[in-house]
Amino acid sequence: MGGTFESLKGGGAAIALDEIEISILRSLAVQLLELIGPGWPEPGEDDDPLAALFAEGPSEPPSDPALARLFPDAYGSPDGDGDKGVDPEEIAARAAEFRRFTENDLRARKREDALAVVHSLNGLTPAGDGAAVLELSGELPLRWLGALNDLRLTIAARLDITEDDESAMLFRLPDEDPRKPMVMAYLWLGGLQETLIETL
């Protein structure tokens, strides 16, 4: 998987992807959509767009570690990682209030980013040389950047990667280790993310 993003004349980014890379990216983006879910409230519960704008979201952090990584508490954890000198109950209350009014929008943006990846890949068919060139322009490079970041965060949570120096051992896993494909995907997505940032 050696494809990297390159700058397009006039702005944007392009990358050559083979059929396997297209399939992996599409599959990961669809899984991310399933993980993020439809949001709160469920679609169709309230067809009034103004009411949806002011709808309150959840106040508790997600129990799934991957979702907790995608939707972290705004003020750190009440066990001392947040504001110094502030009562832990006050930190928890602030975080719950912030989450209640922001998570729906954040969830919607992450869904839009993942959908942009899926739609970009739909209909992309490798040519005779085995690769198809994907060109991203307008807001698509930023959508892709957001989705790549979310995919890496999700995989990192599944692999229990917290910091690069702690995860070095994972990158030397033997081929028979069941985590190896996820580690390879994590590294590959990191390369895509890095080269996409460079093009911007």
Side-chain angles (χ1 to χ4, degrees):
M1 295 186 201
T4 58
F5 280 99
E6 296 178 9
S7 297
L8 280 175
K9 254 187 178 177
I15 186 170
L17 298 167
D18 64 30
E19 194 171 341
I20 293 172
E21 292 167 331
I22 294 168
S23 175
I24 290 171
L25 282 168
R26 184 183 290 116
S27 174
L28 289 172
V30 167
Q31 290 176 57
L32 181 62
L33 284 166
E34 291 170 356
L35 176 68
I36 292 170
W40 186 1
E42 295 291 326
E45 286 183 14
D46 193 343
D47 294 329
D48 180 1
L50 192 57
L53 183 64
F54 295 103
E56 293 182 7
S59 58
E60 294 295 320
S63 58
D64 183 307
L67 285 173
R69 186 86 58 103
L70 291 173
F71 305 105
D73 273 336
Y75 297 97
S77 62
D79 58 7
D81 293 340
D83 296 340
K84 302 296 182 207
V86 179
D87 180 42
E89 288 183 15
E90 177 66 22
I91 293 173
R94 285 183 192 174
E97 186 78 358
F98 187 83
R99 180 180 298 280
R100 216 164 43 128
F101 292 107
T102 61
E103 187 171 311
N104 283 346
D105 288 340
L106 184 57
R107 198 174 281 265
R109 185 179 57 80
K110 289 180 182 299
R111 269 196 308 275
E112 289 168 7
D113 290 348
L115 275 171
V117 170
V118 173
H119 292 316
S120 300
L121 296 170
N122 284 344
L124 194 63
T125 307
D129 63 354
V133 175
L134 173 68
E135 295 187 355
L136 304 175
S137 58
E139 68 174 16
L140 279 177
L142 291 177
R143 292 271 182 212
W144 267 72
L145 199 54
L148 289 172
N149 186 60
D150 290 342
L151 287 170
R152 290 192 79 231
L153 286 173
T154 302
I155 293 173
R158 296 294 185 236
L159 292 171
D160 204 22
I161 296 173
T162 53
E163 293 184 21
D164 289 340
D165 56 344
E166 294 177 7
S167 60
M169 185 175 76
L170 283 175
F171 306 137
R172 295 189 296 273
L173 290 174
D175 290 344
E176 59 273 10
D177 192 298
R179 297 170 294 171
K180 185 76 172 195
M182 283 179 66
V183 169
M184 298 305 294
Y186 178 80
L187 293 172
W188 178 54
L189 292 170
L192 293 180
Q193 187 179 18
E194 186 178 336
T195 60
L196 184 51
I197 287 170
E198 288 169 2
T199 67
L200 302 178

